[in-house]
Amino acid sequence: MMFDIDDIRAQWAKQRPDIDTRPMATIGRIVRLSALFSEAMNTTFVKHGLSAASFDVLATLLRSGPPHALSPNELLATMMVTSGTMTHRIDQLEKDGLVARVPNPDDKRSVHVRLTETGRHIIDAAVTDHVVVQQQLVKALSDEELRMMNSILDKNLSALAPK
């Protein structure tokens, strides 16, 4: 369902002329874009038998480079989830044959999570499709507009990030 953010602001202006709704316009657009982006990306993940969560873990392992293995704590550090959530994700991916727990070569008391051959093939294909979808999602913007948008978003993220 598409809604016009400016119409919503106009309604608020009639009901509450005392409030400044300019941030509502910006945040409303970002939230709407986020929903559209998530929907398009989730379609790609499902096509490959993945969820956004499983894609995140597998992509992190792939981009870590050979041997595509990280400790659970290293995985946890790249994602904003609890250790229990991470354990559940790893358990499910292991059950699906996409990752394996292997001994840590530097510390035999711990393990690494490594992509299996099947997991590598699936995430390679999923990442390729994911990048194409992301390119389509921003194709209305020029390179300069993307650069400016990233700069503005980075500025806002930095201002809101915990110190």
Side-chain angles (χ1 to χ4, degrees):
M1 171 180 176
M2 190 62 175
F3 57 92
D4 189 307
I5 292 165
D6 292 325
D7 288 345
I8 293 169
R9 285 188 64 214
Q11 290 172 331
W12 278 117
K14 286 180 188 173
Q15 299 305 311
R16 292 289 311 271
D18 58 311
I19 60 174
D20 178 6
T21 61
R22 287 179 295 177
M24 186 183 292
T26 303
I27 292 169
R29 286 178 172 92
I30 290 170
V31 168
R32 180 68 181 141
L33 277 172
S34 177
L36 292 169
F37 288 176
S38 292
E39 183 180 326
M41 292 185 298
N42 283 330
T43 298
T44 301
F45 302 150
V46 168
K47 174 182 161 188
H48 294 278
L50 302 172
S51 65
S54 59
F55 176 90
D56 197 19
V57 173
L58 297 175
T60 299
L61 291 170
L62 182 64
R63 75 172 182 259
S64 73
H68 308 293
L70 295 170
S71 73
N73 284 338
E74 289 170 322
L75 279 170
L76 193 58
T78 69
M79 298 172 209
M80 295 170 32
V81 298
T82 65
S83 60
T85 298
M86 180 58 65
T87 299
H88 176 72
R89 287 182 185 179
I90 294 167
D91 288 347
Q92 187 60 50
L93 290 166
E94 187 173 39
K95 181 179 155 199
D96 293 341
L98 304 179
V99 302
R101 286 178 169 97
V102 297
N104 178 342
D106 300 324
D107 180 358
K108 298 299 180 199
R109 297 170 293 160
S110 64
V111 297
H112 275 171
V113 178
R114 186 186 70 218
L115 278 177
T116 63
E117 198 60 35
T118 300
R120 181 175 162 104
H121 287 300
I122 288 173
I123 195 59
D124 261 335
V127 165
T128 299
D129 288 350
H130 179 64
V131 169
V132 169
V133 167
Q134 287 183 326
Q135 289 169 343
Q136 291 170 348
L137 290 170
V138 298
K139 72 181 177 184
L141 303 174
S142 70
D143 288 345
E144 178 60 15
E145 289 168 327
L146 285 171
R147 187 199 62 72
M148 287 185 338
M149 181 181 285
N150 282 324
S151 176
I152 291 165
L153 292 172
D154 282 346
K155 181 178 180 179
N156 206 164
L157 285 168
S158 292
L160 297 174
K163 309 247 184 240

